[in-house]
């Protein structure tokens, strides 16, 4: 039958389309169902286009500091429409790339809303009507959406989600960002860099609260130095939006409430999984306590033949975690069908996290506090950017690299970075953790000079009292 498959993937984000490609490579007849755009939120409205925006902001920042490099740049200004146009162009290019990958790997694409009517059946409602697809296995990869605040419903005019912030109809003058996770901080950094007056409100006692405490403190100090207003231990109580702007009542860390005026608000307080109205309840697929789909180490749900990956499952909610889960699910399915699959599980402690603010943040593994809470006797090393020759030559002396080791075994427990290009450096430590490296291998590795990566070496050396350049 034309519409009978070995695997149907519901959702084509970085988890879904990678799962489909790997399944096809393993010899499975595969289809993918997408209701909006191939590539999902990440490629079209998330990871990639936001990095295009942030790159424009970075270039603008460097142009404003041209004199620091012996250069002259006059009458510098930011064209928001042109910046957004470039970002959308990048997203379009990648969307077309995924379309090409589907064709190359002979994956059938069905555009429309998909709903499971049985554990082996999906009905797709598209422009041409309803199409029934059947499959021995189904992967749910429907992703997530921005969480709303009940008193601050996004309207796309004055109150924005990340999606509105990515394609603004006008330049904000005074911006309130509610939430200081990766999404909130990235947009705060982007708009601050292009000249907007930005205030960030975080209900917890520090910004980027999942990061190491020293990283959080360093970032807050840096952002304040850049002109940003940071309010931690604070909460937005009410939002009153009208055609002219937004009035927000904010309760500070001392419990005092004040009214503040803004032109726009970005709500960045987390995500909600897209699991409603796709038939999961009728099939008895079990959610976890946060309403995400519960899975085992091979991405299997409690219903035989149904798998789930990415942001509709438990965190961390990262595109690269979703992609790797896509491979795990495809390998597991292939193996169950007698194909040459190599199923494996994933250790979430070896998944790196990156935040592309200015300065950048990257980390993997346990923070110092979490390591101690877990009962480890730790050795901690740190090395500052100001001590690195390449960082000085680049004019990027802000930041540090921190490593956390188990004092008894030498196991690398975690690494935490803040500074220029640390999102590119973190993979070195991620590979080290995956290989269960100890301090000995890292100390005996030759790092090239002059590079920023030398700071990684020095941080390890510092943990054991052997630092060379500090």
């Amino acid at each position: 039958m034309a519409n009978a498959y070995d695997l149907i993937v519901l959702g084509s984000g970085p988890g879904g389309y990678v799962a489909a490609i790997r399944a096809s490579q393993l010899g499975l007849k595969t289809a993918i169902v997408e209701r909006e755009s191939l590539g999902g939120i990440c490629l079209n409205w998330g990871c990639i286009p936001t990095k295009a925006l942030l790159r424009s902001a970075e270039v603008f920042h460097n142009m404003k500091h041209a004199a620091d490099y012996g250069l002259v740049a006059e009458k510098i200004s930011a064209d928001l429409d042109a910046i957004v146009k470039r970002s959308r162009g990048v997203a379009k290019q990648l969307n077309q790339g995924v379309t090409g990958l589907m064709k190359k790997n002979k994956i059938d694409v069905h555009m429309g809303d998909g709903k499971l009517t049985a554990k082996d059946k999906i009905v797709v409602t598209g422009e041409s009507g309803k199409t029934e697809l059947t499959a021995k296995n189904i992967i749910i990869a429907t992703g997530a959406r921005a969480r709303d605040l009940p008193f601050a419903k996004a309207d796309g005019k004055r109150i924005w989600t990340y999606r509105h912030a990515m394609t603004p109809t006008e330049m904000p003058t005074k911006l309130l960002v509610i939430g200081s996770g990766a999404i909130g901080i990235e947009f705060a950094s982007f708009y601050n860099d292009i000249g907007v007056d930005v205030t960030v409100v975080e209900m917890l006692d520090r910004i980027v609260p999942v990061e190491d405490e020293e990283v959080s403190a360093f970032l807050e100090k840096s952002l304040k130095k850049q002109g940003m207003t940071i309010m931690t231990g604070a909460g937005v109580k009410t939002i009153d939006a009208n055609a002219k702007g937004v009035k927000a009542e904010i309760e500070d860390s001392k419990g005092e409430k004040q009214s503040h005026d803004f032109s726009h608000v970005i709500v960045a307080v987390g995500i909600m999984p897209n699991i409603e109205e796709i038939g999961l309840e009728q099939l008895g697929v079990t959610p976890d306590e946060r309403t995400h789909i519960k899975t085992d180490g091979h991405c299997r749900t409690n219903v035989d033949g149904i798998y789930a990956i990415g942001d509709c499952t438990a965190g961390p909610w990262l595109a690269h975690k979703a992609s790797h889960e896509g491979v795990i699910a495809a390998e597991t399915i292939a193996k169950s069908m007698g194909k040459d699959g190599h199923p494996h599980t994933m250790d979430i402690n070896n998944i790196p996290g990156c935040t592309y603010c200015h300065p950048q943040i990257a980390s993997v593994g346990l923070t110092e506090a979490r390591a101690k809470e877990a009962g480890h006797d730790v050795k901690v090393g740190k090395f500052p950017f100001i001590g690195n020759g390449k960082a000085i030559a680049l004019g990027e002396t802000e930041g540090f690299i921190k490593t956390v080791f188990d004092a008894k075994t030498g196991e690398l427990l975690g690494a935490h970075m803040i500074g220029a290009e640390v999102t590119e450096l973190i993979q070195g430590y991620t590979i080290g953790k995956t290989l269960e490296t100890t301090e000995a291998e890292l100390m005996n590795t030759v790092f090239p000079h002059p590079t920023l990566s030398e700071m990684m070496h020095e941080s390890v050396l510092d943990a054991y009292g052997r630092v060379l350049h500090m």
Side-chain angles (χ1 to χ4, degrees), residues 224-254:
K224 285 180 175 178
K225 184 179 178 181
Q226 294 173 40
M228 208 179 291
T229 299
I230 307 290
M231 301 177 68
T232 55
V236 178
K237 297 303 178 182
T238 61
I239 292 285
D240 181 20
N242 56 48
K244 295 183 178 180
V246 177
K247 189 174 291 293
E249 184 183 53
I250 301 175
E251 183 177 349
D252 64 21
S253 58
K254 298 177 182 178

Side-chain angles (χ1 to χ4, degrees), residues 340-396:
D340 190 25
H342 300 278
H344 61 283
T345 58
M346 177 169 52
D347 183 349
I348 63 170
N349 284 318
N350 293 343
I351 301 174
C354 299
T355 304
Y356 297 81
C357 49
H358 178 224
Q360 293 180 5
I361 296 172
S363 60
V364 65
L366 299 176
T367 64
E368 181 180 356
R370 289 285 176 87
K372 290 177 178 177
E373 288 170 9
H376 293 279
D377 181 15
V378 301
K379 284 184 177 291
V380 177
K382 280 178 64 178
F383 194 83
F385 270 59
I386 191 64
N388 176 262
K390 180 67 177 293
I392 294 171
L394 290 175
E396 299 284 359

